[in-house]
C-alpha cells in the first residue's frame, strides 16, 4: 500500500527538483546571452552614431577602448562598398554578402556561411547630397561558441540532476513516509486489539443468552448467575467502548478539553469520599492528605476521570488490608498529586509498557475484574493534554506510586 505512495512521492519530488534545476539553468543561459549581446549591441549603436557624426563633420565622443572585432563598412546606394574600417582582411568574406537588408538603425543578426554577425546600418546624407549607408558589424562566433558550450553543460547538468533528483526524491519520500507508516501500523494494531477485546465479552453475552433461551421455564432467581454475568460483561463492554472512543477521538485531535478555573482540592476530596466507602468494604487502609486551596485551569470532568483511573487501579491491585495513600498539595508552582499503594507492584519489564494501549500485566490478566488495559493510556493523555507529567515507581510485591505534576 505504501509502495505506490512511495513511488508517487518519489516522482513528485524528482519532478519538483528537476524543475527547479531546469529553471535555474534556463535563467543562467538567458542571463549570459543577454549580458554578452547587450554589450556588443551598445558598442555597435555607439560606433554607428560616431561614424555618422564623423561623416557629417559633427563632434562626437570617441571610444576610449574600441572593440577590435568591430568593423565599419560604408556603402553607396548601388550596394558598392566604398570604405572599410576594421582589422579583418577583406578577402576573408565575400564582402557584397554583408550588405544590410534593413537600414533602420536597429541591431540584427547576419549570417554568412559559418560566420555570424551582429549588424546595424544607418543611412547618411552627406554635405554633397550623396546618400550613403554606414554599416557596423561584429563577428559573434566566439560568443555563440561560448553560449553553445554553456548550453551543452546545462543539458548535461540537467541529465545528472535527473539521476540525483530520483535518488534524493526517493530518500525524501521514504523519510516523510516513516511517521505516516508508524501511525498507520499503530492504528492497525489499535483496531486489531480493540476487536480482540470486544470479542470476549460479546462471546460471553452470546453464550449466556443462548443458555437462558434454552430453558425458558426457569425463573430469574434460578438463572441469576447467568444474568449477572451478562450484566457484568455488558458493563465491561460499555466501559471498553467509551474508552476506545476517547482514545480514537484523542488520536484524531477531535477531543478538546473544557477548560475552566476550579478548586482542584475540592474535586480530589469528592473523589476520595467515594473511594472511602470502597476502602471500608474491601478492608483497605485509605489515607488522604490534601492541602488546599489548589486552583487549576483544566477540564474538571477529565481530571475526575484521571483520579478515578489511578485510585481504581490502586484498589484493584492492592489486596485487602493493604494501604492506599492519596496525596495532593502544592509544590512550588506545581500541583502535585500522588496515589501510592502497598499492592502487588509492577515488574521491571512491565513498567515501561503500562501506559501502552491494551497492555495488562500478567497478574492483572489473570484477575476476574475485567480491566481493559486502556485506563493508564487515557490517564496519560489527560495529564499531557493539561501540560502535566505522569510517572510511576514500583517494586513487585511492595507496591506502586503514581505521581502527576501539573
Ligand atoms: P487495566 O487496569 O484495566 O488493566 P490500566 O491501563 O489501568 O489497565 O493498567 C495497565 C496495567 O498496569 C495493569 O494491567 C496492571 O498490570 C498495571 N497497573 C496499573 N496500576 C497498577 C497498580 N496500582 N499496581 C499494580 N499494577 C498496576
Amino acid at each position: 500500500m505504501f509502495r505506490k505512495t512511495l513511488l508517487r512521492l518519489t516522482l513528485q519530488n524528482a519532478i519538483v527538483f528537476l524543475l527547479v534545476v531546469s529553471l535555474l539553468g534556463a535563467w543562467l543561459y538567458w542571463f549570459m546571452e543577454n549580458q554578452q549581446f547587450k554589450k556588443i549591441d551598445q558598442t555597435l549603436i555607439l560606433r554607428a552614431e560616431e561614424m555618422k557624426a564623423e561623416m557629417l563633420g559633427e563632434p562626437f565622443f570617441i571610444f576610449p577602448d574600441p572593440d577590435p572585432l568591430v568593423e565599419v563598412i560604408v556603402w553607396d546606394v548601388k550596394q558598392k562598398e566604398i570604405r572599410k574600417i576594421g582589422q579583418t582582411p577583406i578577402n576573408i568574406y565575400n564582402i557584397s554578402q554583408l550588405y544590410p537588408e534593413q537600414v533602420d538603425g536597429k541591431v540584427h543578426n547576419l549570417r554568412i556561411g559559418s560566420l555570424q554577425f551582429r549588424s546595424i546600418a544607418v543611412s547618411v546624407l552627406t554635405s554633397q547630397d550623396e546618400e550613403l549607408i554606414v554599416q557596423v558589424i561584429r563577428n559573434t562566433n566566439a560568443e555563440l561558441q561560448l553560449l553553445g558550450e554553456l548550453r551543452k553543460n546545462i543539458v548535461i547538468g540537467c541529465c545528472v540532476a535527473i539521476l540525483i533528483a530520483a535518488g534524493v526524491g526517493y530518500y525524501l519520500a521514504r523519510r516523510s513516509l516513516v511517521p505516516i507508516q508508524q501511525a498507520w501500523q499503530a492504528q492497525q494494531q489499535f483496531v486489531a486489539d480493540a476487536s480482540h477485546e470486544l470479542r470476549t465479552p460479546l462471546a460471553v453475552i452470546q453464550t449466556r443468552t443462548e443458555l437462558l433461551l434454552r430453558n425458558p421455564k426457569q425463573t430469574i432467581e434460578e438463572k441469576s448467575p447467568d444474568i449477572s454475568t451478562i450484566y457484568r460483561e455488558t458493563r465491561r463492554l460499555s466501559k471498553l467502548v467509551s474508552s476506545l472512543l476517547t482514545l480514537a477521538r484523542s488520536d484524531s485531535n477531535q477531543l478538546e478539553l473544557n477548560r475552566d478555573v476550579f478548586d482542584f482540592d475540592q474535586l480530589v476530596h469528592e473523589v476520595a469520599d467515594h473511594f472511602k466507602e470502597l476502602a471500608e468494604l474491601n478492608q483497605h487502609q485509605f489515607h488522604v492528605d490534601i492541602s488546599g486551596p489548589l486552583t487549576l485551569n483544566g477540564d474538571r470532568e477529565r481530571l475526575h476521570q484521571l483520579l478515578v483511573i489511578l485510585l481504581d487501579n490502586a484498589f484493584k491491585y492492592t489486596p485487602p488490608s493493604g494501604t492506599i495513600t492519596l496525596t495532593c498539595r502544592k509544590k512550588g508552582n506545581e500541583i502535585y498529586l500522588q496515589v501510592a499503594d502497598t499492592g502487588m507492584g509492577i515488574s521491571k519489564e512491565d513498567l515501561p509498557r503500562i501506559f501502552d494501549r491494551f497492555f495488562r500485566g500478567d497478574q492483572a490478566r489473570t484477575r476476574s475484574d475485567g480491566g481493559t488495559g486502556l485506563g493508564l493510556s487515557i490517564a496519560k493523555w489527560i495529564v499531557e493534554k493539561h501540560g502535566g507529567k505522569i510517572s510511576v515507581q514500583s517494586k513487585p510485591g511492595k507496591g506502586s506510586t503514581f505521581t502527576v505534576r501539573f
Side-chain angles (χ1 to χ4, degrees), residues 2 43 54 60 62 106 119 134 141 143 150 162 166 205 211 214 244 267 272 294 318 322 349 355 371 374 386 391:
F2 282 100
T43 313
E54 187 193 308
F60 193 81
I62 308 288
K106 285 186 187 146
S119 154
V134 173
N141 276 49
E143 281 76 14
L150 182 67
I162 291 180
I205 292 169
L211 279 177
R214 244 183 247 168
L244 284 174
L267 172 72
L294 300 170
T318 303
E349 303 80 60
F355 293 102
L374 293 175
H386 280 85
S391 59

Side-chain angles (χ1 to χ4, degrees), residues 313 316-317 341 345-346 354 359-361 364 371-373 375-376 400 402:
N313 277 349
K316 216 160 55 177
Y317 299 117
D341 65 59
I346 304 162
I354 55 163
F359 177 79
R360 304 199 70 209
T372 60
L376 286 181
S400 314
F402 285 83

